[in-house]
Amino acid sequence: MAVAEQNTVGKLVRIAGPMIEADGMLGVQMGEILRVGKLGLMGEVIRIEGEKIYAQVFEPTDGMFLGEEVVATGLPLSVELGPGLLGATYDGIQRPLITLQQSSGDFIGRGLTAVALDREKKWAFTPTVSAGQEVSGGDVLGTTPETSVITHKILVPPRVSGKLEWVAPAGDYTVLEPIARLEGGRELTMMHPWPVKVPRPSAKILPPTEPFLTRQRVLDMLFPIAKGGSAIVPGGFGAGKTVVEQAMSKYCNAQVIVYVGCGERGNEMAEVLTEFPELIDPNTGDTLMNRTILVVNTSNMPVAARDASVYTGMTLAEYYRDQGLDVALMADSTSRWAEALREISSRLEEMPGEEGYPTYLSERISAFYERCGRVECLGSKAEGETPRIGSLTAVGAVSPPGGDYSEPVTQTSMRVSGALWALDSALAYRRHYPSVNWNKSFSLYFEGLKGWFDQNAPAGWLERRQQAASLLQRENELNDIVQLVGPDALQDQERLILDVSRMVRENFLQQNAFSDADASCDLDKMFGLIDSILVYYEECQKVLAREVPLTKINELTVREDLARLRDEPNEGFTEKKVRVVESVKKALSELEIK
Amino acid sequence: MSEQSNEMLHTQYWDLTYVSGPLAFLKNGDRFPTGAILDVHLPDGETRQGQILEATKTHAVLQILQGTRGVDVKGTSVSLRDDAAKIACTTDVIGRRFNGVGDPIDGLPPVVPEKELDILGSAINPVSRAAPNDFIETGVSAIDGFNTLVRGQKLPIFLGSGLPANELANLIVQNAGTKGDDEPFVVVFGAMGITARETQYFLRAFEEGGKGSQVVAFINQADDPAIERIFTPRCALTVAEYLAFEKNYQVLVVLTDLTNYCDALRQISSAREEIPGRRGYPGYMYTDLSTIYERAGRIRGLRGSVTQIPMLTMPDDDITHPIPDLTGYITEGQIVLSRPLHRQGVFPPVDLLPCLSRLMNNGIGKNRTQAWHREWSNQLYAAYAEGQRIRKLMAIVGEDALTELDRKYLKFTIAFEREMLGQGTTRRTIEDTFAIGWKLMGYLPKSELTRVKREVVDEFYKPLDDAGNPIEQTVAPLENAGERVGQ
């Protein structure tokens, strides 16, 4: 990164909400960070007109005078990458909120600066290279235990290479103390900066063939996505976007979660901050907070920082991907980011595209989702050594106005992401959660994941999945008939389909995020549940074939046992299920005899 | 006040060059900081207030609160009054009435401020927030049982014209402070563009309910300048935050009607010739509204709280209209009123299905209400939704085409609306609400109640016949039949 020899200093000539104009800024680059006014508010250059620049400011601009100084820093918007990120809570421009609280109290002041990584804290560094070795970007210099389960790999920054002249011995170092030196004198520390708007490079993109499991039945069974994939979750207010994103953050099989609260509620963030340190990650036994980084920019914080927050989150996620970890990025909500783009664009008096959004909206959204992927990480490797593989999966919430999916943000996101988990207000009104509409949702990853499920999921998974999907489709068709002529006009066979598909909806697709036993569902339980319902269906068909009326079947009390199966915990589920299925079969066969 | 502005204080400038709608343009745009409050001196001696919205080298945009009628570009002058819009804060405001920008209208002298605070406030640091979890018993079943309100929450009421939302709001106000503790409680009432009749209703109702002395009111009536409405909620919330976080009060803020607020916002936006968004409202309305709604909450280590009940009219009962839509995206749920229920004489006519309280889970459960509260609520919700679906179906295919089970759901639904929702103005404890819920579940067969744990159903379930009378059970039909498995 080029550092300006002397900082350009200009004067403020216009203030319009989150946007300012400054004169006398010749030589300043697009995307460069500025310090604006006496308070030194942080801003980013977004347009240059000769000596005049336009900038978006990440803090409230009220009370400033024209003529105040604007200082260019020579640097693009960057984040600090190094040990100490996990468990932290940052604002959109990577200032630790705890530090801000210490300096300005419970309300966020202005013009505060705070470094992202603790400068005092010592990390136990164990080198894995030695002097004389050639290294290049992405190579591991050493490791440090960041949390009890995550060993942080100290990487050579991308685009840096050379022969190691010196490597620090194992010991405790701060993020600023050099741990290695290249020939030519360049010192490497455990921390390096990276500009947020530049994707971090990787060696090779790999096909998405491993599932990103969320432990949510409707998602993993019907619309699974792959590690390195992306999904969007659009839904009107109250449809449960946030609950879905939070449930995923808690239970998904990623090792690191970056949760970006972009333009959303402060109280929700407070909930996460209260809850996560107490929750235990089922995969590791450590607290959830220790695998989570929160980037929080609530709706009442400045709009320009929303733009920064999604990129900050993405870059942090990429950094952990580069260490060979599976990372999930949750962005709640990308629509607020798009609205920030719209607001800035309108202040710039750009010609608007659809619904006032700037014409480059789709470019930005596409570029964002394209930063996902399962990759072979950058770094040299010895002959025969297996490459380090990391993945970055993104799930973006979308908040379509009025729940109307035809709006530009939903449409654009749908085009570039690989899966749509469409949340439906009508389902939410009936307290069918997660309110994922099975008719509208899709996943393009399923074909690529079939092989994995075939090998790793309980036997019969793909078949049962297909049967469940067909049943739900059949229900749709029958419901159209019922709407016209009433349920009385249906045959028992058809009524059975309605009855069983209702069981699929209520006992399988619905999942109670607030119940200890049900909130997180493993593949065995998932399969067991759908299998039990479908066995019931098959047995009932046999009974009906012997002309026993459906009303007789509906009187059976074992149906209730079937319905309550989902409240059984994952542990020991299969045995419970086998018992219930046996009793269902028995009860049904007894009907046959009578 | 900064040095630069100090010397300009009260100096008059004849800077006006252009007047349109609520706005005036000043030349020499670099004279005043953005957000500054100016006095506008009209030629006839009248003084109005204005705020600088935007500043450029050549001009500044001034928004004049009391309107621009009578303003000219020759004789009208401006002078700096304050760096930013501020409001006097002291506990003496409790019991007082102010206009929409904080001047007293109760005939009493202005309060002596302990502090003057910028009405824009600043964002609460998310790490300083305490997760809201204190249950507020509002005495309304639809809220307490199904969409629980907690301290620090923002829960709006979406109403249609002509629906009794004010009465519901009053019911909540009357009950909210009477939870079994002695925390000091105060209501901050912010009225934007409401009629004199509504103002009178609220003030009288607060008074009659014994809350009069605990109310701070900021009132901008329908005939007051529309631009002042931009300031009203911010004045109210600044006072609310002061009382909650500096004086340890439990503050309930009632704001009505946000639709008028948004219309004022649109008016200014269009006068500034900004690109309009949906229905002409500015594209930044979400952000603007969030700077109001997000000022609810609790702070770690402090006792006070700010709870908000904003009320807004859904134009044409349309919940997808930008105002309710953006509000719903910011607030923690919503209470929606229903016209059909109102026509049936159900009070409060709460349209339960689209209602939601996102923080409900924090306020209920073991040690707060009941361990099974969530399940109980889910069960009744699901049953009521099913009943609604069947009612629609019946309208098409007729009652004869329904199944036996469908009819039970229908009976349940009718009874639910009559008995659970239609409580009238009586205050119900949460225990009463629970008892009614369990009773109503009796209309349904026990096997349908799968959302509640079996032990809990066993404890509370009492079957009812179609007329709503308890069925005497000699043998519990479902209890002992069949072999129990899975236990």
Side-chain angles (χ1 to χ4, degrees):
Chain A
M1 265 160 288
V3 177
E5 283 166 12
Q6 202 178 346
N7 290 338
T8 313
V9 179
K11 293 234 180 298
L12 206 51
V13 293
R14 179 175 171 221
I15 305 160
M19 198 202 69
I20 59 115
E21 291 172 27
D23 238 345
M25 301 293 288
L26 195 65
V28 170
Q29 296 173 357
M30 278 294 270
E32 191 168 332
I33 290 298
L34 309 172
R35 290 284 171 185
V36 181
K38 287 189 191 122
L39 290 168
L41 307 183
M42 211 161 140
E44 182 187 16
V45 178
I46 49 175
R47 178 189 279 177
I48 302 174
E49 273 179 24
E51 288 194 7
K52 188 161 85 172
I53 56 99
Y54 294 68
Q56 54 178 348
V57 181
F58 300 131
E59 293 175 75
T61 55
D62 306 275
M64 288 204 297
F65 278 92
L66 295 182
E68 286 186 34
E69 279 189 352
V70 176
V71 183
T73 61
L75 297 170
L77 183 62
S78 304
V79 287
E80 293 184 346
L81 302 172
L85 294 168
L86 292 178
T89 305
Y90 295 112
D91 75 351
I93 44 179
Q94 216 205 4
R95 296 183 300 184
L97 287 172
I98 293 285
T99 319
L100 296 187
Q101 184 190 31
Q102 283 153 4
S103 52
S104 80
D106 294 328
F107 293 85
I108 297 178
R110 287 195 291 164
L112 304 170
T113 49
V115 291
L117 296 175
D118 191 337
R119 296 292 190 259
E120 310 295 323
K121 183 164 175 155
K122 298 254 188 191
W123 295 93
F125 173 72
T126 314
T128 52
V129 288
S130 46
Q133 224 172 307
E134 287 280 351
V135 292
S136 63
D139 284 355
V140 181
L141 293 172
T143 59
T144 181
E146 186 172 1
T147 68
S148 60
V149 289
I150 299 225
T151 303
H152 194 109
K153 296 189 175 70
I154 307 298
L155 303 176
V156 177
R159 298 173 192 167
V160 172
S161 62
K163 195 168 184 183
L164 286 169
E165 194 178 77
W166 166 83
V167 176
D172 292 350
Y173 301 92
T174 67
V175 289
L176 289 182
E177 284 169 333
I179 45 121
R181 190 167 59 243
L182 297 174
E183 276 183 359
R186 176 160 184 169
E187 287 185 329
L188 301 175
T189 58
M190 281 200 262
M191 171 195 105
H192 68 265
W194 189 264
V196 295
K197 297 201 173 164
V198 181
R200 284 174 65 87
S202 58
K204 193 172 158 193
I205 308 243
L206 301 170
T209 49
E210 279 180 29
F212 172 79
L213 296 175
T214 61
R215 291 185 160 239
Q216 307 297 305
R217 286 188 289 269
V218 58
L219 303 182
D220 289 353
M221 173 73 84
L222 294 179
F223 312 108
I225 63 167
K227 281 181 182 167
S230 57
I232 60 162
V233 190
F237 61 85
K241 291 182 295 298
T242 304
V243 179
V244 167
E245 294 247 348
Q246 289 189 3
M248 264 188 280
S249 312
K250 288 178 197 164
Y251 308 119
C252 76
N253 61 346
Q255 288 150 304
V256 171
I257 312 286
V258 180
Y259 193 103
V260 183
C262 173
E264 289 288 310
R265 305 175 182 88
N267 278 336
E268 264 165 17
M269 285 297 126
E271 265 183 86
V272 171
L273 287 170
T274 321
E275 212 179 330
F276 275 33
E278 288 166 12
L279 287 172
I280 300 298
D281 177 359
N283 304 311
T284 63
D286 198 5
T287 77
L288 274 180
M289 203 60 206
N290 274 346
R291 69 162 192 182
T292 309
I293 306 171
L294 293 173
V295 178
V296 181
N297 191 75
T298 57
S299 55
N300 54 341
M301 285 154 81
V303 284
R306 285 187 209 160
D307 182 41
S309 68
V310 292
Y311 288 106
T312 296
M314 185 52 96
T315 311
L316 298 177
E318 282 177 339
Y319 175 62
Y320 281 93
R321 174 205 67 188
D322 288 349
Q323 297 180 35
L325 298 171
D326 291 322
V327 186
L329 175 81
M330 308 285 160
D332 185 11
S333 152
T334 57
S335 294
R336 304 302 162 222
W337 166 42
E339 279 165 14
L341 292 178
R342 174 167 71 184
E343 181 166 351
I344 304 289
S345 163
S346 117
R347 305 268 183 192
L348 283 172
E349 293 171 3
E350 291 171 337
M351 189 67 80
E354 219 179 322
E355 298 207 3
Y357 286 106
T359 46
Y360 46 81
L361 176 78
S362 67
E363 180 204 331
R364 297 281 170 91
I365 292 181
S366 318
F368 175 76
Y369 283 109
E370 277 307 289
R371 287 175 76 169
C372 298
R374 183 160 160 268
V375 301
E376 202 178 298
C377 302
L378 202 63
S380 44
K381 59 175 195 288
E383 194 75 32
E385 192 186 340
T386 45
R388 202 161 70 228
I389 290 174
S391 73
L392 200 176
T393 313
V395 179
V398 180
S399 318
D404 172 13
Y405 286 8
S406 68
E407 59 93 37
V409 183
T410 317
Q411 284 301 318
T412 309
S413 308
M414 227 191 269
R415 279 207 305 275
V416 292
S417 67
L420 168 73
W421 295 333
L423 301 190
D424 187 337
S425 299
L427 290 175
Y429 288 172
R430 310 174 58 170
R431 295 310 189 251
H432 175 117
Y433 291 120
S435 66
V436 175
N437 183 309
W438 50 92
N439 294 319
K440 285 189 193 158
S441 304
F442 64 78
S443 166
L444 300 176
Y445 300 104
F446 179 67
E447 287 302 319
L449 295 172
K450 269 185 175 170
W452 190 93
F453 279 111
D454 208 24
Q455 285 181 2
N456 299 285
W461 177 277
L462 295 175
E463 198 190 344
R464 285 309 197 197
R465 175 190 180 271
Q466 189 51 52
Q467 286 167 347
S470 311
L471 205 58
L472 290 169
Q473 177 54 35
R474 191 80 182 94
E475 183 194 25
N476 269 349
E477 296 160 14
L478 289 176
N479 268 337
D480 288 344
I481 300 172
V482 170
Q483 288 295 332
L484 290 174
V485 293
D488 251 9
L490 297 181
Q491 301 297 315
D492 268 2
Q493 280 288 354
E494 293 161 332
R495 280 201 216 175
L496 176 67
I497 292 174
L498 286 185
D499 195 44
V500 175
S501 49
R502 181 177 161 203
M503 286 167 108
V504 173
R505 282 190 281 115
E506 294 187 357
N507 308 337
F508 181 76
L509 296 181
Q510 286 184 22
Q511 195 169 345
N512 188 347
F514 303 112
S515 145
D516 294 336
D518 200 29
S520 152
C521 182
D522 66 15
L523 291 184
D524 286 336
K525 178 174 172 185
M526 230 173 255
F527 178 77
L529 270 180
I530 196 71
D531 189 54
S532 64
I533 295 170
L534 291 169
V535 166
Y536 170 79
Y537 177 51
E538 289 152 6
E539 294 298 315
C540 284
Q541 281 178 314
K542 289 184 202 158
V543 176
L544 288 184
R546 291 180 171 75
E547 298 191 345
V548 179
L550 184 65
T551 44
K552 278 278 174 214
I553 297 177
N554 286 348
E555 281 165 11
L556 291 178
T557 52
V558 285
R559 284 160 49 90
E560 200 192 328
D561 295 324
L562 215 50
R564 288 186 182 278
L565 255 183
R566 63 170 212 173
D567 296 324
E568 299 295 338
N570 290 315
E571 293 76 33
F573 179 82
T574 311
E575 294 84 72
K576 290 254 169 57
K577 172 229 159 187
V578 169
R579 290 222 302 273
V580 171
V581 167
E582 284 313 312
S583 72
V584 166
K585 280 186 177 168
K586 184 162 162 268
L588 285 168
S589 66
E590 277 167 3
L591 270 185
E592 220 170 344
I593 296 160
K594 278 168 199 169
Chain B
M1 180 133 323
S2 72
E3 227 173 276
Q4 192 173 357
S5 41
N6 226 347
E7 67 198 40
M8 315 191 307
L9 203 58
H10 306 309
T11 317
Q12 296 195 14
Y13 300 97
W14 279 262
D15 271 358
L16 261 64
T17 57
Y18 171 95
V19 184
S20 166
L23 303 181
F25 283 50
L26 308 179
K27 60 186 175 198
N28 302 322
D30 48 2
R31 226 195 276 284
F32 306 107
T34 47
I37 297 294
L38 306 188
D39 279 328
V40 182
H41 310 277
L42 271 62
D44 62 2
E46 187 190 340
T47 302
R48 296 181 191 169
Q49 275 75 50
Q51 186 175 32
I52 301 282
L53 295 180
E54 182 179 331
T56 69
K57 222 174 194 170
T58 51
H59 68 272
V61 181
L62 177 71
Q63 150 186 299
I64 300 178
L65 300 189
Q66 295 86 355
T68 49
R69 183 176 299 273
V71 174
D72 70 348
V73 295
K74 181 163 169 272
T76 305
S77 68
V78 292
S79 63
L80 185 67
R81 182 189 169 104
D82 212 331
D83 265 1
K86 288 186 180 148
I87 180 119
C89 289
T90 152
T91 46
D92 294 343
V93 295
I94 299 171
R96 299 288 306 268
R97 312 273 176 269
F98 302 94
N99 70 4
V101 289
D103 298 324
I105 49 169
D106 50 7
L108 298 171
V111 292
V112 180
E114 183 192 303
K115 257 189 181 172
E116 290 215 313
L117 296 174
D118 187 340
I119 64 163
L120 287 181
S122 19
I124 301 180
N125 189 328
V127 298
S128 289
R129 281 182 184 269
N133 54 15
D134 288 332
F135 169 62
I136 297 179
E137 193 176 277
T138 64
V140 180
S141 291
I143 297 177
D144 294 349
F146 303 91
N147 298 286
T148 313
L149 178 69
V150 294
R151 278 185 184 156
Q153 185 174 14
K154 38 194 181 288
L155 189 64
I157 300 176
F158 291 180
L159 56 128
S161 306
L163 296 181
N166 295 350
E167 289 75 5
L168 176 60
N170 179 43
L171 207 58
I172 297 171
V173 165
Q174 295 303 336
N175 295 330
T178 58
K179 193 191 158 215
D181 61 20
D182 48 5
E183 305 266 1
F185 172 78
V186 63
V187 177
V188 175
F189 177 63
M192 290 151 278
I194 64 171
T195 59
R197 179 181 49 77
E198 286 171 295
T199 312
Q200 288 315 312
Y201 168 80
F202 272 111
L203 296 180
R204 203 177 53 236
F206 291 157
E207 205 71 55
E208 283 169 1
K211 290 278 187 284
S213 60
Q214 285 166 283
V215 174
V216 190
F218 292 89
I219 297 163
N220 167 282
Q221 284 189 178
D223 54 351
D224 289 334
I227 306 307
E228 284 187 12
R229 283 166 208 163
I230 302 297
F231 289 71
T232 312
R234 298 190 164 85
C235 291
L237 287 162
T238 306
V239 167
E241 282 176 346
Y242 167 82
L243 292 172
F245 303 132
E246 297 196 26
K247 301 293 169 193
N248 296 319
Y249 279 87
Q250 306 301 333
V251 185
L252 182 69
V253 182
V254 178
L255 298 173
T256 181
D257 178 329
L258 264 301
T259 302
N260 296 331
Y261 170 85
C262 292
D263 285 348
L265 202 63
R266 175 167 68 177
Q267 203 180 330
I268 293 164
S269 170
S270 102
R272 294 176 72 178
E273 298 180 357
E274 291 169 335
I275 298 166
R278 273 202 302 158
R279 304 240 182 158
Y281 294 98
Y284 51 80
M285 193 157 85
Y286 176 86
T287 307
D288 189 276
L289 284 173
S290 76
T291 60
I292 295 175
Y293 298 141
E294 274 293 315
R295 292 174 80 174
R298 298 193 314 151
I299 289 181
R300 276 169 207 262
L302 300 180
R303 288 216 308 279
S305 66
V306 176
T307 310
Q308 268 189 45
I309 310 230
M311 300 167 57
L312 60 90
T313 307
M314 296 182 284
D316 197 25
D317 292 359
D318 176 10
I319 199 169
T320 67
H321 185 279
I323 300 172
D325 191 49
L326 295 179
T327 298
Y329 275 122
I330 307 166
T331 54
E332 284 131 0
Q334 63 277 336
I335 301 296
V336 184
L337 299 193
S338 149
R339 201 171 292 281
L341 283 180
H342 178 57
R343 290 207 192 101
Q344 287 168 39
V346 171
F347 179 84
V350 176
D351 190 0
L352 204 58
L353 297 188
C355 290
L356 176 72
S357 164
R358 290 168 195 271
L359 301 181
M360 171 166 180
N361 233 50
N362 302 346
I364 63 170
K366 218 172 148 190
N367 302 333
R368 296 207 173 88
T369 53
Q370 287 290 349
W372 38 258
H373 187 158
R374 167 60 72 177
E375 300 163 22
W376 173 92
S377 158
N378 282 349
Q379 182 67 65
L380 288 167
Y381 244 111
Y384 183 51
E386 179 67 6
Q388 297 266 49
R389 187 189 70 81
I390 291 165
R391 184 146 61 183
K392 275 195 200 114
L393 184 65
M394 187 181 75
I396 303 167
V397 300
E399 195 172 349
D400 289 346
L402 298 182
T403 64
E404 188 56 34
L405 184 62
D406 287 350
R407 286 199 194 102
K408 289 197 160 119
Y409 269 106
L410 213 52
K411 284 258 160 27
F412 162 82
T413 300
I414 292 163
F416 184 83
E417 288 179 353
R418 195 180 55 228
E419 294 174 39
M420 179 65 88
L421 300 178
Q423 69 182 87
T425 51
T426 43
R427 177 192 160 80
R428 267 197 202 146
T429 63
I430 185 71
E431 284 74 24
D432 294 344
T433 300
F434 284 144
I436 294 167
W438 287 118
K439 182 191 152 214
L440 292 172
M441 281 188 222
Y443 282 101
L444 301 172
K446 196 173 180 184
S447 58
E448 287 294 304
L449 308 179
T450 57
R451 302 226 177 180
V452 188
K453 286 206 183 67
R454 181 137 45 191
E455 317 78 271
V456 182
V457 180
D458 289 345
E459 187 181 342
F460 293 99
Y461 179 75
K462 302 257 178 338
L464 300 176
D465 65 16
D466 285 354
N469 300 313
I471 299 172
E472 287 305 323
Q473 290 176 293
T474 41
V475 185
L478 297 170
E479 200 65 36
N480 305 319
E483 192 190 338
R484 276 280 156 257
V485 283
Q487 295 220 342

